Amino acid sequence: AQSVTQLDSHVSVSEGTPVLLRCNYSSSYSPSLFWYVQHPNKGLQLLLKYTSAATLVKGINGFEAEFKKSETSFHLTKPSAHMSDAAEYFCVVSDLVSSASKIIFGSGTRLSIRP
Amino acid sequence: GAVVSQHPSWVICKSGTSVKIECRSLDFQATTMFWYRQFPKQSLMLMATSNEGSKATYEQGVEKDKFLINHASLTLSTLTVTSAHPEDSSFYICSAISRGGLTDTQYFGPGTRLTVL
């Protein structure tokens, strides 16, 4: 069985400071992990994905995430927040074993950026 | 990256009518498409998985007779909300997986906002 937990429903940081959005997962198999961003009234955009290659994954817009199997975590980070980063972020887990590829969304974290 | 479109982007209908939403993969063949529902300020809830040429697999609690899904080709899946009621008002999002891909990266459509009066 798979699950994903986003530990913070809302994160607020000042512009120019680091961003940390936390995600923990559980999976019976080797999981694929994703971070998506959703801006207001917009579709979901893939930020980055982990698929059993390098544990540190670099994505778009300066975001990166590190897969830590021992901690079952896949936290999203960015060194310096920008106003345009304000959005909803979703951590997603799916497995590679099943052809049906069950996909589970986290509950989302709303990121606010203070000027 | 791969592009998925949805049509219409928003629709308002009267209670009791049916509404069809289209999801198209524009530059790749999608063996599998997914339909999600998103309530305001909430996460996405998977409704059903649609494989080309076969019946959709619905998640628990989703009424298959109410939410009809057809995936007749590798580039098109449709969701029909039958006899819509105000509680069906929501944001419906589709996604597609590229055929033959080694990973299961989903590409999402922009969503369709349904309002039932």
Side-chain angles (χ1 to χ4, degrees), chain B:
Chain B
V3 178
V4 175
S5 71
Q6 280 184 243
H7 177 80
S9 55
W10 60 272
V11 57
I12 301 173
C13 70
K14 292 182 178 180
S15 186
T17 61
S18 295
V19 174
K20 179 185 284 188
I21 302 170
E22 291 186 350
C23 176
R24 292 182 186 272
S25 55
L26 298 184
D27 52 2
F28 66 99
Q29 293 183 321
T31 50
T32 304
M33 288 183 166
F34 302 88
W35 286 96
Y36 293 86
R37 185 172 179 176
Q38 186 180 30
F39 291 101
K41 299 187 178 182
Q42 293 189 30
S43 187
L44 280 72
M45 181 190 75
L46 179 64
M47 298 174 66
T49 302
S50 168
N51 292 300
E52 185 261 340
S54 62
K55 290 184 179 180
T57 302
Y58 290 81
E59 295 299 303
Q60 192 171 10
V62 178
E63 299 174 61
K64 60 180 68 175
D65 294 332
K66 181 167 188 61
F67 298 99
L68 301 178
I69 292 172
N70 183 279
H71 191 165
S73 77
L74 286 171
T75 60
L76 173 65
S77 177
T78 61
L79 167 68
T80 302
V81 183
T82 63
S83 186
H85 288 92
E87 58 265 29
D88 299 324
S89 298
S90 191
F91 196 51
Y92 292 88
I93 303 172
C94 75
S95 71
I97 289 180
S98 172
R99 182 178 206 174
L102 296 177
T103 70
D104 44 3
T105 300
Q106 294 181 95
Y107 298 97
F108 286 84
T112 297
R113 187 164 299 284
L114 170 64
T115 301
V116 184
L117 303 177

Side-chain angles (χ1 to χ4, degrees), chain A residues 68-113:
Chain A
K68 292 185 176 180
K69 188 174 182 178
S70 60
E71 298 176 12
T72 61
S73 69
F74 190 58
H75 301 333
L76 180 70
T77 61
K78 181 172 180 176
S80 176
H82 192 273
M83 294 300 291
S84 61
D85 294 328
E88 189 84 17
Y89 291 79
F90 294 98
C91 182
V92 178
V93 63
S94 68
D95 70 74
L96 287 172
V97 175
S98 167
S99 60
S101 193
K102 200 72 173 180
I103 295 158
I104 306 294
F105 270 74
S107 54
T109 298
R110 183 165 59 92
L111 176 62
S112 300
I113 311 297

Side-chain angles (χ1 to χ4, degrees), chain A residues 39-86:
Chain A
H39 287 92
N41 299 313
K42 296 275 185 74
L44 285 144
Q45 182 182 21
L46 178 67
L47 278 177
L48 48 81
K49 61 183 179 183
Y50 165 78
T51 54
S52 74
T55 57
L56 182 62
V57 182
K58 293 187 182 299
I60 62 171
N61 301 337
F63 284 95
E64 62 181 40
E66 186 172 7
F67 173 72
K68 292 185 176 180
K69 188 174 182 178
S70 60
E71 298 176 12
T72 61
S73 69
F74 190 58
H75 301 333
L76 180 70
T77 61
K78 181 172 180 176
S80 176
H82 192 273
M83 294 300 291
S84 61
D85 294 328

